[in-house]
Structure formats: structure tokens, C-alpha cells
Amino acid sequence: MSGAVTERPRIVSPGKLVVWALAAVFLAFVTWQAVGNLVGVSKSVSDFNAFVRQNGGKGLETGTPWVALVVDVLIAPVAFVAAWLVSRRMDVVRTVVVFVAALCAVSALWFTLLQYVSSTLRIGS
């Protein structure tokens, strides 16, 4: 048995657990806000279209940017999973760096999509 390789069980350090938990909280907040945007924007568009139809302005109806809103909701969970997969075998410091980069990327993409959604809507203008 001198040639047998025994695999040590992976032990997750408390530091990595803290990083994962903090990242999960921050990214859950982003997801919560994105779900709120999805619900709020779709309701506003629906209400606006009903008002326009009721008042004879059918040509003024606007569409809901569903793709952007759904992508907005999916950004944070996908980023968390990607960051976890990339950093699961790294030390704590590198794990922090990966998750900070993921949080920055999520923030940039999330705000860009919010700007896109607000620029495509012509409600009340």
C-alpha cells in the first residue's frame, strides 16, 4: 500500500464561511431589489397600458422589457455560483478577491440593466 494515494477530506475554514455568508447576503439584497424592479416595472407598464387603452390612445402602449428584467434577477445568483466554483479550492484571501470581483461585476451589470430598462420605458413622457 505504499503507492496508494489517500485523499484528505477538504475542510472549509471559518474565514471562507464568513466570506461566503457575507457575499450571499449582499447578493441576496441585489436579487431582492431586482425582483422588486421586475414586479414594479411590469405593474407600472401594465397600469399605463390599461390607462392608455381606456382613454383611446392604443398606439401609445409600451412593452415590458422582460429579457432585461429577468437577466437582472439572475445576475447575482449566477455570479455567486460562479465565484464559489472558481474559489472553492483557494485560500481565504484569494476567495475574498474573487467574491469582491464578482460583487463589482454584479453591481456594474445590474446598474447598467437598470439604466437600460428606464431608458426603454416611455411611461408618462
Side-chain angles (χ1 to χ4, degrees):
M1 288 248 181
S2 63
V5 176
T6 58
E7 189 174 318
R8 294 185 328 192
R10 281 192 282 170
I11 299 173
V12 177
S13 70
K16 284 184 99 167
L17 289 175
V18 168
V19 172
W20 293 341
L22 286 173
V25 168
F26 290 136
L27 292 171
F29 176 74
V30 172
T31 304
W32 179 259
Q33 293 296 313
V35 169
N37 290 335
L38 184 139
V39 171
V41 168
S42 62
K43 179 165 178 12
S44 294
V45 169
S46 177
D47 292 347
F48 176 76
N49 288 341
F51 174 78
V52 166
R53 269 185 252 110
Q54 183 181 14
N55 291 295
K58 190 172 181 176
L60 298 174
E61 291 180 19
T62 188
T64 304
W66 288 110
V67 173
L69 291 170
V70 170
V71 168
D72 202 30
V73 170
L74 295 176
I75 292 169
V78 169
F80 181 85
V81 170
W84 181 81
L85 287 172
V86 167
S87 69
R88 66 186 171 178
R89 297 178 191 260
M90 294 179 177
D91 60 16
V92 176
V93 174
R94 290 181 181 163
T95 300
V96 169
V97 170
V98 169
F99 275 94
V100 167
L103 287 166
C104 290
V106 165
S107 298
L109 190 53
W110 186 64
F111 284 121
T112 301
L113 281 171
L114 286 179
Q115 181 62 36
Y116 170 76
V117 167
S118 64
S119 71
T120 60
L121 296 178
R122 299 288 177 239
I123 296 177
S125 54

